């Protein structure tokens, strides 16, 4: 399968092609027929197959690019920060000393014939001043010399006088001590015990004479020429030591304790001193720590020999383990435990015989390890450098013996307990002895002797025989002084140091790291008298792992320098960094062929990553060398820089795409690419530049002696400045050469790719390198910001921050400042504090802001400058006063600027602005700015959609609303301030609007006219939370209706406000609709409350108002009326059931709760309650409400009602008569039904009641009680007459025969009442003549059928009156 073309044929201008979608790379997994070009093929372009294996030595690194199982989605600066952290972490894992100086022997050295590859170089030699020689010529007894290298001073003791001079000064002054008369036998500079002397006394000179030991205070100050000038002070402290003949003095830097020994014995004494004399303790004294108890450690016979001949020749203190080592003249090493209580216990005695025995188990017979040899020096190895190795002993035959102190439970590590034994761990034999035949060279020569790597361990080399003395400095600098010709009085100096790059990245990853060293021979041309470290002790880390990584600190700390004092002067030896070696190799390499050879040699030894990093450093001007006038200067030779550039560009390697790691499409193909060694080298270089500040805090707070707080930088500002310059050079280099660097060349480089893998690899390389470029810019700006911060009054700036922000700044590291959003935000807060301080102090804020923007634009953008200008306008307005015209102009100008950059205004700045605006009564401006800020914080109106969808929980849009709400809270504050101001000044005065009233009116106008629905919603929420419903009801806005409609779902109170708002707006149908909805709602409302809502709704729906459609009002009114009828029925039912004794006490609450709530359907009321409970009157009302018109059902229900009423009346012992209950029930129900013809059928009810009265109540009640019911209900007489007339003619049971007179009696009664009613006023008799004739005729017929005696006479009289009126 072949790839279809993905790369555009023409590059897009100004754009780099992003990573294609995963789906485009599906063919990568199936493309087995086309083999992918492997790493070896691509590397063959630079050399042979053998070179390829060396140049391409990457170990397991090919697979590291595909380790991530998840998609990496980093921002460029985050990606670069990850690369820097990985580089720092890798360098922190530099092998510890114990890992490559293990149990066994070795003899591996590399001494190159080329000076360019030398590990050390002689910088210069300072001659001894002539004045010293003049004093020397007057010597009578003895002369001794030495160095105080860390103070760049040398000293000489001539008889009883001691002289110091600054050996770096061309014409130094002598500082002398001549106040005593005894011959000086030893001198040592020690650190004093804390609290004994004044702080200016930084060191104490311990001067031993034949009679006493004297302490002399020494202070040091920086000198104008760059060194230090010292002064001596008499401390008036001394103690007699007559007869000891002190020759060795050593001090503990940690405790200030001073130990010494003399030529007369191997006893160890201590010089004790304190500030004041106390009981039983003088200010100074000497203590012998070994005069007692030696028999405990050593056999008596050996003791007698040692007492006669053995003396201490060297002392060494290891403060990290609280141990004191001594070396005797018999090559016995003793270990003392320095206790906190002032004791010094001898814990280990290691005679030479035991040392030889230990070594004998590691190697076969060697002439170099024999009883005839001696140990000439010892050097302590601190605990932070090695956990197992404690001491290095140097033999006279040139062998280095590394020893470990052990205790019963393993290697000794604790300083609180003492070790019990000492064992040899490793022996390093001398280099091959071909150099011993070499003739002496001039003392200023740096020519090295040629050696090759020995194929096997050489245990017989006599190259360092005889070694007179030797010394070791961390992390492994070794100097051996070899006296090949004792008669000549000169020393050959052998120097070696660890090859850190090879130790860090061994060629064979599977084998244990070897103790690789680079070595150098120097002919001093004179005898060495003393040696000292002129620079601070080396330590790349606080623990053994990472401690010895010289590569990591080669740009971060001064290069180690060693001073060697001889009888001709002080020789300065400088440790050469890898970058210096590489630059020198490029300088002497020759043309292109020589360049290629040197670079490939470098790659073979140290790998491509380190080569790329070193080449980049050289190209950026980091390399240094000694000039012809013995000055150390950086290398800016154009030819060297060009060679380094070519090495970085051409030998930087290529990114590697691991196609085998693509198991599925879960990881984008671009994440399977391991960037090139060029990228790794760049990240290494950057990490080494910034390693000292990366994890360091931005500020350090200290308590002053007066109890105040002082803020200081954690890193010297001068170092930050140098770091910024180095990073700027890197930025310029990458920018200048981006067209030549793969990954930075831009989209044009895509035209050179031939496969899809190459395209993806190039894109990954661009992503990685571009991220480093972005990070470099960020670091440069960050450092510039820190420098600006400390240029200002930083204490005032920090203390002006809020406590939370101050703590954030206090915890902020440089890494956080460079790479995190929190760091950027904290920096912006500091910028604001700086500007505000300048504003308050009256400085020109535009000048300060513009300077900040130029130097660190990321922390002070163009928007920030506009904000600062606007703040200055506000300050001017404050100065002018709230009532001035200029104040208004300045405030309007500030508002215009603030609105331009509203999106960039922070909450703290907004707080400041609003507070000042309110103080100046610029209410409208405050509200406008807050609304603008809210709008800018949520341009997508996500908050509005969140509100409209019911404010769902755990929705990301809620963050947008909260962002807006924080702005609206300022408006709440403004409104509260406006209302408070009304109590101080009225709106109207003498009928005119006051100035304050006008400003308040402007603010109200801004609020009412705002189209920000989210703001209006939040404002209404605020009104309700403050129980200010009156304010809400006064608002004239459609947003109120929308808001209350939305809020109605949250509670009945909001719904009540909605219909109240409609009423206040005279929208009566709207109020009725809301009340109807409330009556039907599921809110926990009582039935009476719902009926009340319906009653109000009926009233509102019935109210006429112009502009309201009649149909709209009628529809609402109809629905309300119908529902109100149902509700009334349910209310009657509820009241009936509350008093119904048939319901049990347990059941009653349930029934009441079911009915005293939502309005139930009529079917439920009928079937569940009314019919079951025999509430027949309610059943008839339900028929009416449901428009149920089945006559038989209605008639049957009426019949049931009459029977139930009669039954209930008879059951009662007292109370109304049955007929009275029946009459009342009919009368009440008829009233409720409104005499509806269907529900109140008179034609059925009247006969029904007459039959009831005849059958059950013939002896009770008035004769006409049935007719009175209908008359009371205002049933027309004509209707009643018609029903009676039908009953009379129908001759129905029980009104047959003589019983018809009962109907006749009723007809006479109705005719009489009808007559009286019709003639009242000017009415027509019986409504019409026809009716009158009909009544008259019917009365005549009734009279013939028979009437009661009383009714007959009444009927005759009535008929006569009718006839008379008809004539």
């Amino acid at each position: 399968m072949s790839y279809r073309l993905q790369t555009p044929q023409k590059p897009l201008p100004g754009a780099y092609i992003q990573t294609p979608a995963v789906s485009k790379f599906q063919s990568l997994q199936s493309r087995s027929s086309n083999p992918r070009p492997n790493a070896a093929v691509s590397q063959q372009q630079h050399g042979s197959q053998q070179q390829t294996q060396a140049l391409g030595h990457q170990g397991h690194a090919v697979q590291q690019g595909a380790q991530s199982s998840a998609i990496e989605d980093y921002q460029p600066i985050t990606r670069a920060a990850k690369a820097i952290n990985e580089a720092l972490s890798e360098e922190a894992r530099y092998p510890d000393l114990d890992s490559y100086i293990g149990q066994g022997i070795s003899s591996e050295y590399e001494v190159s014939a080329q000076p360019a590859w030398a590990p050390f170089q002689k910088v210069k030699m300072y001659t001894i001043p002539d004045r010293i020689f003049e004093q020397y010529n007057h010597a009578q007894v003895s002369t001794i010399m030495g160095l105080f290298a860390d103070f760049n001073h040398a000293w000489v003791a001539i008889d009883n006088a001691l002289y110091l001079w600054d050996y770096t000064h061309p014409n130094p002054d002598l500082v002398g001590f001549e106040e005593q008369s005894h011959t000086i036998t030893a001198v040592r500079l020690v650190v004093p015990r804390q609290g004994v002397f004044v702080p200016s006394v930084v060191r104490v000179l311990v001067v031993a004479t034949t009679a006493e030991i004297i302490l002399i205070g020494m202070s040091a100050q920086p000198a104008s020429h760059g060194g230090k000038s010292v002064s001596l002070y008499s401390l008036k402290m001394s103690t007699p030591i007559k007869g000891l003949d002190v020759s060795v003095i050593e001090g503990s830097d940690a405790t200030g304790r001073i130990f010494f020994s003399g030529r007369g014995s191997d006893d160890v004494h201590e010089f004790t001193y304190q500030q004041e004399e106390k009981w039983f303790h003088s200010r100074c004294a000497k203590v012998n720590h070994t005069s007692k108890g030696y028999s405990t450690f050593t056999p008596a016979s050996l003791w007698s020999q040692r007492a006669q001949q053995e003396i201490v020749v060297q002392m060494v203190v290891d403060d990290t383990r609280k141990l004191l080592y001594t070396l005797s003249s018999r090559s016995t090493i003793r270990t003392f435990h320095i206790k906190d209580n002032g004791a010094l216990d001898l814990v280990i005695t290691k005679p030479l015989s035991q040392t030889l025995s230990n070594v004998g188990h590691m190697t076969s017979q060697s002439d170099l390890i024999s009883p005839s040899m001696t140990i000439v020096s010892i050097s302590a190895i601190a605990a932070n450098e090695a956990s197992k190795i404690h001491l290095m002993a140097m033999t006279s035959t040139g062998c280095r013996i590394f020893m470990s102190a052990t205790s019963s439970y393993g290697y000794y590590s604790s300083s609180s307990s003492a070790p019990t034994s000492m064992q040899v761990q490793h022996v390093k034999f001398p280099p091959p002895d071909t150099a011993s035949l070499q003739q002496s060279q001039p003392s200023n020569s740096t020519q090295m002797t040629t050696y090759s790597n020995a194929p096997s361990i050489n245990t017989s080399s006599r190259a360092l025989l005889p070694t007179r003395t030797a010394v070791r400095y961390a992390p492994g600098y070794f100097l051996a002084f070899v006296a090949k010709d004792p008669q000549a009085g000169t020393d050959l100096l052998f120097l070696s140091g660890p090859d850190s790059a090879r130790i860090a990245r061994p060629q064979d990853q599977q084998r244990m790291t070897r103790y690789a060293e680079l070595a150098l021979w120097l002919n001093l041309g004179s005898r060495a008298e003393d040696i000292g470290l002129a620079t601070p002790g080396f330590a790349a880390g606080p623990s053994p792992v990472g401690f010895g990584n010289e590569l990591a600190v080669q740009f971060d700390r001064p290069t180690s320098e060693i001073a060697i004092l001889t009888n001709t002067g002080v020789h300065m030896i400088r440790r050469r960094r890898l970058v210096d070696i590489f630059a020198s190799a490029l300088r002497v390499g020759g043309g292109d062929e020589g360049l290629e050879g040197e670079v490939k040699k470098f790659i073979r030894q140290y790998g491509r990553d380190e080569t790329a990093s070193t080449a980049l450093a050289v190209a950026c001007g980091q390399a240094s060398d000694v000039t012809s006038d013995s000055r150390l200067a950086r290398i800016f030779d154009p030819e060297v820089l060009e060679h380094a550039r070519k090495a970085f560009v051409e030998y930087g390697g290529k990114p590697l795409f691991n196609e085998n790691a693509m198991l599925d499409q879960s990881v984008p193909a671009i994440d399977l690419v391991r960037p090139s060694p060029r990228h790794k080298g760049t990240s290494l270089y950057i990490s080494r530049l910034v390693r000292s500040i990366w994890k360091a805090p931005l500020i350090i707070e200290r308590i002053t002696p007066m109890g105040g707080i002082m803020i200081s930088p954690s890193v010297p500002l001068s170092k930050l400045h140098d770091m910024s310059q180095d990073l700027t050079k890197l930025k310029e280099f990458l920018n200048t050469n981006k067209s030549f660097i793969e990954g930075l060349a831009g989209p044009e480089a895509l035209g050179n790719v031939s496969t899809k893998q190459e395209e993806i690899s190039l894109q990954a390389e661009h992503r990685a390198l571009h991220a480093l470029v972005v990070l470099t810019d960020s670091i440069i700006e960050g450092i510039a910001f820190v420098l600006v911060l400390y240029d200002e009054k930083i204490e005032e700036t920090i203390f002006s921050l809020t406590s939370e922000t101050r703590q954030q700044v206090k915890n902020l590291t440089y890494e956080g400042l460079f790479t995190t959003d929190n760091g950027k935000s904290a920096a912006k807060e500091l910028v604001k504090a700086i500007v505000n301080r300048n504003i308050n102090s009256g400085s020109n804020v535009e000048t300060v802001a513009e300077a900040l923007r130029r130097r660190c634009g990321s922390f002070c953008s163009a928007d920030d400058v506009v904000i600062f200008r606007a703040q200055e306008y506000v300050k001017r307005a404050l100065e002018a006063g709230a009532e001035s015209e200029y104040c208004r102009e300045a405030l309007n100008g500030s508002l215009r600027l603030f609105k331009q950059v509203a999106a960039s205004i922070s909450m703290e700045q907004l707080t400041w602005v609003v507070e000042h605006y309110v103080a100046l009564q610029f209410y409208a401006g405050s509200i406008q700015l807050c609304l603008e800020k809210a709008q800018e914080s949520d341009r997508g109106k996500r908050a509005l959609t969140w509100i409209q969808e019911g404010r769902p929980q755990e929705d990301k849009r809620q963050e947008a609303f909260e962002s807006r709400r924080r702005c609206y809270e300022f408006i709440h504050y403004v409104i509260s301030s406006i209302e408070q101001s009304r109590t101080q000044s009225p709106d109207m005065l003498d009928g005119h609007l006051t100035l304050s009233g006008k400003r308040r009116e402007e603010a109200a106008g801004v609020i009412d006219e705002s189209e920000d629905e989210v703001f209006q919603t939040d404002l209404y929420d605020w009104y309700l939370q403050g129980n200010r419903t009156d304010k809400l009801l006064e608002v004239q806005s459609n947003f109120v209706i929308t808001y209350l409609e939305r809020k109605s779902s949250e509670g009945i109170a909001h719904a009540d406000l909605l219909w109240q708002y409609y009423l206040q707006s005279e929208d009566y149908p709207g109020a009725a609709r809301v009340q109807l909805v409330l009556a039907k709602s599921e809110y926990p409302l009582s039935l009476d409350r719902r009926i009340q809502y319906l009653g109000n709704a009926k009233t509102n729906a019935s109210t006429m108002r112009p502009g309201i459609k009649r149909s709209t009002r009628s529809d609402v009114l109809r629905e309300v009326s119908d529902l109100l009828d149902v509700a009334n029925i349910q209310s009657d039912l509820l009241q009936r059931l509350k008093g119904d004794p048939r319901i049990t006490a347990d059941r009653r609450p349930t029934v009441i709760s079911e009915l005293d709530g939502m309005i139930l359907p009529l079917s439920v009321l009928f079937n569940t309650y009314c019919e079951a409970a025999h509430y027949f009157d309610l059943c008839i009302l339900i028929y009416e409400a449901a428009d149920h018109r089945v006559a038989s059902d209605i008639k049957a229900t009426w019949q049931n009602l009459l029977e139930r009423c009669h039954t209930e009346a008879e059951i009662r012992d007292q109370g109304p008569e049955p007929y009275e209950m029946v009459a009342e029930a009919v009368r009440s129900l008829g009233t409720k039904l409104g005499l509806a013809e269907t529900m109140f059928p008179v034609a059925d009810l009247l006969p029904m009641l007459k039959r009831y009265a005849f059958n059950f109540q013939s002896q009770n009640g008035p004769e006409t009680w049935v007719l009175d019911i209908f008359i009371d209900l205002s049933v027309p007489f004509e209707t009643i007459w018609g029903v009676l007339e039908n009953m009379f003619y129908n001759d129905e049971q029980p009104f047959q025969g003589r019983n018809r007179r009962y109907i006749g009696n009723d007809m006479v009664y109705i005719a009489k009442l009808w007559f009286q009613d019709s003639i009242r006023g000017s009415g027509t008799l019986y409504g019409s003549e026809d009716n009158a004739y009909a009544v008259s005729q019917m009365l005549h017929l009734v009279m013939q059928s028979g009437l009661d005696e009383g009714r007959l006479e009444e009927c005759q009289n009535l008929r006569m009156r009718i006839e008379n009126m008809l004539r």
Side-chain angles (χ1 to χ4, degrees), residues 186 263 292 296 614:
R263 294 184 178 90
K292 299 178 181 180
T296 306
T614 307

Side-chain angles (χ1 to χ4, degrees), residues 264-467:
S265 69
D266 62 351
D267 291 344
V268 176
H269 303 265
E270 180 178 357
F271 183 94
T272 62
Y273 58 99
Q274 58 190 14
Q275 190 175 21
E276 297 179 354
E277 194 167 321
K278 299 180 181 178
W279 287 100
F280 307 109
H281 294 283
S282 61
R283 291 187 67 199
C284 302
K286 68 177 186 296
V287 178
N288 189 336
H289 288 289
T290 54
S291 61
K292 299 178 181 180
Y294 261 83
S295 59
T296 306
F297 302 94
T298 310
S301 59
L302 184 60
W303 169 265
S304 60
Q305 295 179 6
R306 184 172 65 253
Q308 297 175 3
Q309 301 179 9
E310 192 171 17
I311 64 172
V312 174
V313 296
Q314 186 182 2
M315 289 184 180
V316 177
V317 172
D318 181 0
D319 281 320
T320 61
R321 296 185 176 92
K322 295 186 178 181
L323 298 178
L324 169 67
Y325 303 103
T326 64
L327 174 65
S328 74
S329 57
R330 291 180 174 270
S331 298
T332 298
I333 299 173
R334 294 183 175 87
T335 304
F336 295 83
H337 183 218
I338 304 174
K339 292 189 173 182
D340 295 334
N341 60 3
L344 184 72
D345 295 344
L346 176 62
V347 293
I348 301 174
T349 299
K350 185 79 172 179
L352 180 61
S353 58
Q354 289 186 15
T355 302
L356 294 174
S357 176
N358 291 158
V359 175
H361 294 292
M362 299 180 184
T363 180
S364 57
Q365 186 66 29
S366 171
D367 294 340
L368 302 180
I369 304 296
S370 66
S372 62
M373 75 170 193
T374 60
I375 297 178
V376 296
S377 68
I378 57 176
S379 297
I381 300 175
N384 57 343
E385 184 179 1
S387 57
K388 297 180 181 178
I389 308 296
H390 294 63
L391 189 71
M392 186 202 81
M394 183 65 186
T395 69
S396 58
T397 57
C399 296
R400 281 177 278 172
I401 301 175
F402 294 90
M403 299 181 176
S404 296
T406 58
S407 60
S408 58
Y409 51 83
Y411 290 101
Y412 171 71
S413 59
S414 173
S415 59
S416 59
S417 59
T420 57
S421 64
M422 181 173 285
Q423 302 295 326
V424 174
Q425 285 290 317
H426 188 89
V427 179
K428 184 73 180 266
F429 285 92
D433 57 1
T434 54
S436 63
L437 302 176
Q438 192 174 24
Q439 298 298 321
S440 298
Q441 298 176 1
S443 60
N444 60 352
S445 172
T446 59
Q447 179 65 36
M448 295 185 296
T449 309
T450 303
Y451 296 110
S452 300
N453 289 337
S456 60
I457 298 176
N458 186 347
T459 61
S460 59
S461 171
R462 304 176 65 84
L464 299 182
L465 186 69
T467 296

